[in-house]
Amino acid sequence: MRTLLPLILILFVALGGWWWWSASHQVPDVPQADRQQSDLTTPDTAAGEAAGIAGITARETQATADAVSETVARVPGGKPVPADEVGDAADAAADAAAIAADAAAEAVRASQDARVPSAGAAATEAEAAAEAAIAAAARAADAAADAATGTIAEQDAAAETADAAEDAAEATARAADATAAAAQIEALLTPEGFDAAQVTRIINDAQISEPQKATLRRLVETAATNPELLRAALDQVKAVMK
């Protein structure tokens, strides 16, 4: 997550002007959907929960961006767009970026616990998606600030903000998917989430020698019905594949 820190600082700076203006004009917050439900298939772990929240936030942000785009399409050319709608898109993009960064942090933690390359690859993908979401949120904040100060036509600023919010939504959805993948791998390598077929696939896909793969497969198969032996076997899988 060290690579995300400079981008997060840039986002905060960009948002500073917009948040000051929106607070003084009482721009309403983006309504938030119930985040207890998600259609993502994720384990009941911290990383799984983070992936689910990121997925829901991505959909909320996309819906807000679509609403602003529809408003821009309805308003005659050159006419201003309601400032609160511009604020909704900027706020939604900022929320998405923050949630994407949280999800990426959980993906990294999950990959460090799983200690297998496939989880590390998923975490790297989540971090890259979070960086993209942060950059998009910064663009949305800049466009919203331009609308507030009148440096460009408000309708153009609204369209730019909506486009940036859509990019943030797409990036956050990618972060959600990558975090879900890391969470699934982390869970599979525990007795509670163990699935023999999936663990065998992870072993087969690993960049280790064929004899090592055969040994790990036999080890897992032998221990599959004994939770304590299985935990030790899965720890051995992690150690060999690290």
Side-chain angles (χ1 to χ4, degrees), residues 5-234:
L5 293 178
L7 287 172
I8 293 172
L9 290 175
I10 291 171
L11 174 60
F12 284 165
V13 171
L15 287 173
W18 165 246
W19 281 338
W20 176 86
W21 184 89
S22 63
S24 64
H25 289 73
Q26 296 182 342
V27 176
D29 293 334
V30 179
Q32 298 295 305
D34 180 9
R35 291 182 174 176
Q36 299 304 311
Q37 300 294 325
S38 171
D39 59 10
L40 290 172
T41 303
T42 55
D44 186 18
T45 63
E49 181 180 357
I53 292 173
I56 292 172
T57 302
R59 292 192 292 275
E60 291 175 351
T61 304
Q62 183 64 59
T64 302
D66 289 345
V68 176
S69 294
E70 290 170 5
T71 298
V72 171
R74 289 196 307 268
V75 173
K79 298 294 184 181
V81 174
D84 60 344
E85 294 200 31
V86 180
D88 284 350
D91 289 345
D95 186 40
I99 294 297
D102 287 345
E106 281 300 329
V108 170
R109 185 206 54 74
S111 72
Q112 291 170 343
D113 183 68
R115 292 181 287 170
V116 296
S118 53
T124 298
E125 184 178 347
E127 286 192 298
E131 290 175 6
I134 290 169
R139 296 203 322 272
D142 287 342
D146 285 339
T149 59
T151 58
I152 62 174
E154 193 169 339
Q155 190 175 112
D156 292 340
E160 290 180 24
T161 305
D163 288 344
E166 182 174 352
D167 289 345
E170 292 175 355
T172 301
R174 294 198 304 273
D177 289 343
T179 302
Q184 289 163 353
I185 295 168
E186 177 192 28
L188 284 170
L189 296 173
T190 65
E192 296 78 15
F194 175 73
D195 180 285
Q198 293 296 323
V199 171
T200 297
R201 180 184 59 78
I202 291 172
I203 293 171
N204 290 339
D205 291 344
Q207 299 299 311
I208 57 178
S209 69
E210 286 303 323
Q212 286 178 308
K213 291 180 182 180
T215 298
L216 291 179
R217 286 194 297 265
R218 286 195 300 271
L219 180 64
V220 170
E221 182 180 354
T222 300
T225 58
N226 185 313
E228 289 305 316
L229 290 178
L230 181 58
R231 187 178 301 278
L234 292 174

